[in-house]
Amino acid sequence: MRTSERLPGHPDFLWATADPKSSYDVVVVGGGGHGLATAYYLAANHGITNVAVIEKGWLAGGNMARNTTIIRSNYLWDESAGIYEHSLGLWEGLEEELDCEILFSQRGVMNVAHSLGDVREGRRRVNANQLNGIDAQWLEPDEVGKLAPVLDVTDRPRYPVMGATFQPRGGIAKHDYVAWGYARAAAALGVDIIQDCEVQGFETDGDTVTAVKTSRGRIACGRLALCAAGHSGVLASQLGVRLPVQSHPLQALVSELLDQVLDTVVMSNAVHVYVSQAHKGELVMGAGVDAHLGYGQRGSFHVIEEQMAAAVELFPVFARAHVLRTWAGIVDVTPDASPIVGHLAQWANAYVNCGWGTGGFKATPGIGSVFADTVAHEAPHRLAEPYALDRFVSGRLIDEHGAAAVAH
Amino acid sequence: MLTLPCPFCGPRDETEFGYGGEAGVAYPERPADLDDAAWAEYLFLRANPRGWFTERWVHRAGCRQWFTVRRHTVTNEVVPDAAAQEVR
Ligand SMILES: Cc1cc2nc3c(=O)[nH]c(=O)nc-3n(C[C@H](O)[C@H](O)[C@H](O)COP(=O)(O)OP(=O)(O)OC[C@H]3O[C@@H](n4cnc5c(N)ncnc54)[C@H](O)[C@@H]3O)c2cc1C
Ligand SMILES: [Zn+2]
């Protein structure tokens, strides 16, 4: 055994661990990226600092530190362009805003097309993006090959590359740094970050949610803001609200550390794989969702196998890499692959932000600021308005299956 | 990988099956009579429990029959529930 003096000292804590107070103006449930960002913007933009973020496990132990960190704003519809581009704009200033490193790297994101249908859909999306002022381009196979030389753009693969959409401002960031950055900045403004504290039910009085019942006692709330991602349906049902979300396992994996071979992000919806190479050198790859419902934070290995088969077919050099680690998160999928954000009509003071499914990491700063604004003003922010729950009754769906589906 | 008990073929790997989601969701008898809220409920609202769940699977790469099981959505324990067979 080495003596302890060879080990580095414990780093300073980035935020103070708080014990719950008896009451807060706003209780945010869920200490993932969305909950932390919401709390930060409530304090920073709206001066509401008597806020608690309540997390049942550890900070970012849900999807926040399990995702593959792809950031882009090239979704199809205007509503999506609104929220995702707002978010991308905030990403571009986030290191300064939070005064902390988040390794945000705008290395570009490519969505590869493998069929005539994909090509048409991709070109349509590029056009829609350009009309919304988003930096989208269409790449022919030879241009794809120049940006990603290890990608096989010949006609050898079973599903050859027929082109790609490309968003140069897209990229990746380091997810846990983002969570820690928001936690530290929120705590510095007076927000209490309470971990190991599970919300188990609610106390209500008439049409008002008066308190959350937690594993660490009762905490009264002026307003309630749910940011529980995969567990949103469980919490909403405790409030008597049924949400059109289904919780599925979503898996990802990393390889060992390798020399840099890929310096952009490559996604392929058709063959279900997306790849980037993290700063340290590991290949980070994600799959499609497991078909069944699941809350166990694990999925089935055949999904990983299919994803590997697709990756090796597209990137023959990856055949020599090894899978080091696989894991899963619980993603809350909606019928139109778009989120649900807004006031819960049944309750005077309860708000929900959920349904980001497989693609909410990129939205972290954007939805944090928009949801905080919605809760602060007790009225939907302009960018949140289209995402109200009643769209499933009115029929005003925001169908992003083409741009989101298994992709991120 | 899950092992699912096909009532006709016995226990088989998950890769042979397709998923059908919540059991017991019947097509409305008179769809035209439903208002928008009721129609939205039929189309979009499904149970999503953390715990025991009664769900449909189809033995796609086998006997091609649909059947119902109860599965725990955290542990993935699967029980062929005789009563559940009647839920469609
Ligand atoms: C494998 C994988 C890959 C992904 N890849 C991408 C990607 O490349 N790009 C992208 O944009 N998105 C991606 N996503 C999606 C993204 O991770 C999520 O949409 C996003 O993280 C959800 O917001 P969040 O960070 O707040 O969620 P979470 O981090 O899951 O936060 C929710 C928190 O609520 C807590 N909670 C739940 N119930 C309770 C309770 N009763 N009491 C207290 N706390 C509770 C949970 O413990 C959890 O910490 C991916 C997801 C997964 C799983
Ligand atoms: Zn069978």
Side-chain angles (χ1 to χ4, degrees):
Chain A
M1 282 294 287
R2 297 277 179 202
T3 55
S4 61
E5 68 227 38
R6 288 191 58 104
L7 295 171
H10 195 288
D12 285 343
F13 286 97
L14 293 174
W15 63 89
T17 298
D19 286 323
K21 293 194 287 189
S22 60
S23 146
Y24 292 92
D25 293 342
V26 180
V27 167
V28 177
V29 182
H34 291 201
L36 292 165
T38 300
Y40 167 74
Y41 292 109
L42 276 171
N45 293 357
H46 304 283
I48 302 176
T49 57
N50 185 24
V51 174
V53 176
I54 298 183
E55 167 55 48
K56 74 181 162 89
W58 63 94
L59 201 126
N63 295 338
M64 184 58 178
R66 292 168 190 266
N67 73 77
T68 50
T69 80
I70 298 173
I71 296 167
R72 60 191 177 90
S73 64
N74 58 351
Y75 287 70
L76 178 64
W77 300 104
D78 295 353
E79 295 86 344
S80 316
I83 182 70
Y84 290 108
E85 182 56 26
H86 169 61
S87 197
L88 184 50
L90 290 177
W91 279 110
E92 289 174 327
L94 201 56
E95 296 211 331
E96 294 78 54
E97 165 106 31
L98 300 177
D99 188 24
C100 92
E101 207 185 3
I102 56 166
L103 302 185
F104 178 47
S105 161
Q106 291 180 293
R107 58 183 62 188
V109 172
M110 203 187 264
N111 281 74
V112 178
H114 300 278
S115 67
L116 199 54
D118 283 357
V119 170
R120 287 185 180 138
E121 166 73 26
R123 284 182 182 277
R124 175 188 180 204
R125 198 146 53 78
V126 166
N127 290 334
N129 292 159
Q130 288 175 351
L131 289 172
N132 277 312
I134 290 169
D135 59 319
Q137 305 168 11
W138 178 256
L139 303 179
E140 294 299 333
D142 60 317
E143 299 168 300
V144 172
K146 277 184 204 132
L147 280 167
V150 291
L151 179 60
D152 187 346
V153 294
T154 67
D155 56 12
R156 185 203 55 85
R158 171 76 180 78
Y159 299 104
V161 172
M162 295 174 69
T165 68
F166 187 58
Q167 182 177 25
R169 285 162 63 240
I172 56 174
K174 193 152 164 54
H175 43 33
D176 36 10
Y177 287 11
V178 177
W180 299 341
Y182 272 117
R184 186 181 71 162
L189 293 170
V191 171
D192 277 0
I193 291 163
I194 301 163
Q195 302 179 67
D196 273 323
C197 181
E198 183 178 14
V199 173
Q200 296 167 333
F202 300 92
E203 273 179 29
T204 60
D205 181 13
D207 66 353
T208 306
V209 183
T210 48
V212 294
K213 293 190 268 189
T214 80
S215 53
R216 294 174 67 183
R218 173 187 194 273
I219 304 172
C221 59
R223 281 166 232 171
L224 175 70
L226 300 178
C227 291
H231 284 84
S232 300
V234 176
L235 284 161
S237 70
Q238 290 168 349
L239 282 169
V241 178
R242 291 178 74 193
L243 294 176
V245 294
Q246 298 272 277
S247 297
H248 292 271
L250 177 66
Q251 304 187 69
L253 63 91
V254 289
S255 73
E256 72 274 46
L257 307 187
L258 298 165
D259 281 345
Q260 197 70 28
V261 292
L262 183 64
D263 38 38
T264 186
V265 181
V266 178
M267 313 175 56
S268 170
N269 292 8
V271 298
H272 288 202
V273 73
Y274 45 95
V275 194
S276 68
Q277 191 166 12
H279 298 80
K280 275 184 299 181
E282 65 266 55
L283 297 169
V284 181
M285 302 190 205
V289 297
D290 279 57
H292 53 78
L293 297 194
Y295 284 89
Q297 286 182 321
R298 66 202 163 122
S300 295
F301 194 69
H302 67 89
V303 176
I304 297 280
E305 280 182 313
E306 281 160 26
Q307 166 198 353
M308 288 297 82
V312 170
E313 181 74 353
L314 289 177
F315 301 89
V317 295
F318 290 0
R320 299 275 170 168
H322 301 92
V323 174
L324 206 65
R325 215 165 58 241
T326 76
W327 65 89
I330 309 166
V331 295
D332 42 336
V333 177
T334 62
D336 60 357
S338 285
I340 297 167
V341 185
H343 179 231
L344 284 179
Q346 296 87 333
W347 300 100
N349 62 338
Y351 299 83
V352 69
N353 162 48
C354 71
W356 291 92
T358 60
F361 173 71
K362 66 180 69 65
T364 303
I367 194 57
S369 69
V370 162
F371 194 45
D373 187 278
T374 299
V375 174
H377 294 117
E378 300 181 279
H381 183 282
R382 177 179 57 83
L383 296 175
E385 226 159 347
Y387 295 102
L389 195 47
D390 63 11
R391 76 174 182 276
F392 295 99
V393 174
S394 69
R396 265 196 84 88
L397 302 185
I398 304 165
D399 180 1
E400 287 291 357
H401 283 287
V406 300
H408 303 272
Chain B
M1 163 138 41
L2 305 181
T3 305
L4 293 157
C6 175
F8 310 99
C9 312
R12 311 288 299 181
D13 281 348
E14 180 187 349
T15 44
E16 295 183 9
F17 296 88
Y19 189 58
E22 183 182 6
V25 182
Y27 190 75
E29 264 180 38
R30 277 187 292 278
D33 292 353
L34 299 189
D35 63 11
D36 289 351
W39 184 242
E41 181 170 333
Y42 164 69
L43 270 189
F44 299 127
L45 288 179
R46 294 291 178 274
N48 188 27
R50 187 178 202 279
W52 287 104
F53 183 47
T54 307
E55 64 188 9
R56 303 282 284 160
W57 290 85
V58 57
H59 197 184
R60 198 161 51 189
C63 64
R64 298 169 64 198
Q65 298 292 312
W66 283 91
F67 62 99
T68 302
V69 298
R70 276 163 55 73
R71 182 175 59 90
H72 195 284
T73 59
V74 180
T75 63
N76 279 335
E77 193 186 340
V78 178
V79 290
D81 187 332
Q85 293 306 320
E86 280 142 41
V87 183
R88 296 201 70 86

